[in-house]
């Protein structure tokens, strides 16, 4: 059984799907591993370290894929895969792409579709990557902010603590709260799911938000926020508007699964902020939570507010993001590994397998696309 690790080719994608550490473990369960040359360079893992871990190096994607039974990637590979190969990545596939995998005889598993259940936590790429994105957002927000986060009492006078407001308190938002608190910021946060309120408070931040009957039902069975009514969003905006005007740094992380990110910071709210304030929008891959966000860019508004709208935030902390992503994939494969046959064994009735499997035996099997 041969596993191939490809070099990522999308602009700005600095991560890699296996590290020298996970290659060693993949070898130990009985796999031969081929790594495309340069695959780990952007995350700080040189070819020599993969070779030392027991991988064979291939000069290009085609050579890496030759004879591969399993392919690990971060994003959907462009190169054609051998028929029958199992592809494990965050594919972000739509119905057309899924059909093409089936036609090409690729057994595609898309890790971002993993169910949010306890047993799947150690394979949960969305959580591992969101956690780091939340951390990185605060670090970049602090670097862009022209004052400090902590209150500084010096002989020359006092610098006040920064007011930091975190919008969306899921995995990324909770890490953002913890990071901003560690830096000494005065932190508040908002969310619509009732459970998030307690989590915000338990991290020492204050809760700012609007709650009603609708928000008490705002969480889906899968743990995600629901799309709420226009009336709810208007009331939420009213509460948030007064608060945002007093904030120095706003970290936006709110998402509604499968939809465009909700707009929570309007142009008028940005206009109410002080010059030098910073908005960091890590929801920008889904369009952003701020009306002023330009996905993929940083810009300064007319009133002097910096809006950091970079996309793919985990790729901005690539060594750590790759290390966790690679372990998520390793855990997935070793959980569904037949030790005797030294081959993957994905029981079709397993909840995790059903969650991620797009195609099997040339057919589309995922409930979202079948
Ligand atoms: P997410 O990335 O989909 O969304 C981020 C946050 O934005 C969520 O907390 C959501 O409630 C919030 N949000 C959406 N609309 C909003 C609005 N209008 N205003 C303010 N906030 C808004 O969510 P996530 O971080 O992936 O996780 C969501 C939940 O799933 C969390 O409770 C998390 O603990 C849980 N979870 C469970 C597991 C597991 O059990 N294996 C794994 C990961 C996450």
């Amino acid at each position: 059984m041969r596993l191939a690790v490809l070099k990522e080719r999308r602009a700005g994608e600095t991560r890699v799907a296996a590290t020298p550490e996970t290659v060693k473990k993949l070898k130990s369960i009985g796999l031969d591993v081929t790594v495309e040359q340069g695959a780990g360079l952007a995350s700080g893992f040189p070819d020599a370290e993969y070779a030392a871990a027991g991988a064979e190096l291939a000069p290009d994607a085609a050579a890496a894929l030759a004879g591969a039974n399993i392919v690990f990637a971060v994003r959907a590979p462009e190169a054609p895969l051998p028929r029958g190969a199992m592809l494990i990545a965050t594919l972000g596939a739509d119905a057309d792409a899924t059909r093409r995998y089936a036609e090409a005889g690729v057994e595609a598993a898309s890790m971002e579709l993993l169910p949010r259940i306890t047993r799947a936590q150690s394979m949960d790429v969305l959580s591992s990557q969101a956690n780091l994105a939340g951390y990185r957002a605060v670090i970049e927000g602090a670097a862009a902010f022209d004052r400090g986060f902590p209150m500084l009492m010096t002989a020359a006078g006092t610098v006040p603590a920064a007011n930091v407001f975190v919008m969306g308190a899921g995995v990324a938002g909770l890490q953002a709260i913890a990071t901003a608190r560690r830096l000494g910021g005065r932190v508040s946060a908002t969310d619509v799911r009732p459970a998030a309120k307690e989590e915000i408070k338990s991290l020492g931040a204050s809760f700012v938000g609007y709650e009603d009957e609708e928000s008490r039902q705002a969480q889906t069975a899968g743990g995600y926020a629901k799309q709420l009514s226009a009336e709810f969003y208007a009331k939420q905006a009213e509460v948030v508007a007064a608060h945002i005007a007093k904030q120095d740094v706003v970290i936006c992380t709110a998402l509604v699964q499968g939809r465009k990110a909700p707009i929570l910071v309007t142009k008028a709210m940005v206009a109410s902020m002080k010059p030098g304030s910073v908005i960091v929008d890590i929801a920008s891959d889904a369009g952003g939570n701020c009306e002023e966000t330009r996905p993929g860019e940083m810009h300064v508004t007319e009133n002097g507010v910096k809006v950091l709208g970079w996309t793919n935030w985990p790729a901005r902390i690539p060594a750590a993001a790759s290390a966790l992503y690679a372990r998520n994939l390793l855990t997935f494969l070793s959980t569904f590994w037949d030790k005797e046959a030294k081959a993957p064994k994905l029981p079709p009735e397993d909840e995790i397998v059903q969650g991620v499997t797009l195609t099997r035996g040339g057919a589309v099997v995922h409930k979202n696309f079948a």
Side-chain angles (χ1 to χ4, degrees), residues 3-363:
L3 180 142
V5 181
L6 296 177
K7 180 173 162 179
E8 299 298 319
R9 287 185 161 70
R10 290 225 196 168
E13 188 50 84
T14 54
R15 293 170 293 169
V16 61
T19 59
E21 175 203 288
T22 64
V23 164
K24 216 178 271 175
K25 294 194 172 129
L26 292 165
K27 294 272 305 174
S28 75
I29 63 170
L31 280 159
D32 295 320
V33 181
T34 310
V35 176
E36 184 182 350
Q37 269 173 21
L41 265 188
S43 348
F45 303 111
D47 289 344
E49 286 186 26
Y50 286 102
E56 289 162 38
L57 292 162
D60 52 34
L65 289 168
N69 308 95
I70 305 168
V71 178
F72 272 8
V74 178
R75 308 289 197 96
E78 288 158 11
L81 268 51
R83 272 200 101 72
M86 176 179 287
L87 171 61
I88 305 173
T90 45
L91 298 172
D94 57 12
D96 281 345
T98 303
R99 187 180 34 78
R100 285 195 296 274
Y101 287 126
E103 283 165 7
V106 172
E107 311 274 304
S110 206
M111 292 298 285
E112 77 280 11
L113 299 174
L114 199 80
R116 312 307 277 284
I117 55 174
T118 308
R119 191 161 61 90
Q121 265 174 8
S122 51
M123 316 168 194
D124 189 344
V125 296
L126 287 186
S127 290
S128 73
Q129 305 302 290
N131 194 329
L132 291 166
Y135 163 79
R136 185 72 190 186
V138 173
I139 297 302
E140 294 203 27
F145 183 46
D146 50 20
R147 292 207 318 261
F149 265 38
M151 182 171 80
L152 298 170
M153 292 169 84
T154 78
T158 300
V159 180
N163 289 323
V164 183
F165 184 38
V166 177
M167 307 191 77
V171 179
L174 293 175
Q175 181 57 260
I177 293 171
T179 305
R181 292 257 304 147
R182 271 182 234 126
L183 287 178
R186 200 182 300 129
V187 185
S188 57
T190 190
D191 203 299
V192 288
R193 290 177 303 106
K197 184 176 176 182
E198 288 317 307
E199 287 162 353
I200 289 167
K201 289 190 188 160
S202 74
L203 287 173
S206 53
F207 174 80
V208 174
Y210 174 74
E211 295 164 278
D212 64 9
E213 250 337 287
E214 190 179 353
S215 67
R216 276 186 268 283
Q217 319 291 327
Q219 183 159 325
T220 67
Y224 292 103
K226 286 185 193 159
Q227 174 79 12
L228 301 172
S229 67
E231 292 74 34
F232 177 89
Y233 287 129
K235 291 198 174 116
Q236 184 188 29
E238 235 172 80
V239 176
V240 161
H243 187 66
I244 280 198
K246 293 174 262 166
Q247 300 307 305
D248 298 303
V249 178
V250 178
I251 310 280
C252 300
T253 78
L255 294 174
V256 176
Q257 200 197 20
R259 290 178 178 263
K260 205 178 159 295
I263 290 291
L264 304 178
V265 186
T266 61
K267 283 192 174 164
M269 292 181 200
V270 179
S272 76
M273 294 175 77
K274 293 183 290 285
S277 307
V278 179
I279 296 172
V280 186
D281 196 344
I282 68 172
S284 53
D285 293 277
N289 291 145
C290 173
E291 254 179 354
E292 291 278 10
T293 295
R294 298 179 189 165
E297 290 178 34
M298 194 280 270
H299 76 110
V300 183
T301 63
E302 262 170 40
N303 63 321
V305 176
K306 286 183 196 155
V307 185
L308 276 63
W310 309 125
T311 48
N312 195 1
W313 281 80
R316 303 179 71 78
I317 176 166
S322 298
L324 298 189
Y325 182 89
R327 279 187 217 144
N328 291 145
L329 261 51
L330 167 72
T331 305
F332 174 77
L333 190 60
S334 40
T335 301
F336 298 108
W337 187 251
D338 183 333
K339 285 188 187 128
E340 262 103 76
K342 290 197 169 39
K345 185 178 176 189
L346 279 69
E349 67 286 357
D350 185 284
E351 191 182 356
I352 294 176
V353 174
Q354 278 180 3
V356 299
T357 308
L358 299 182
T359 56
R360 185 184 302 116

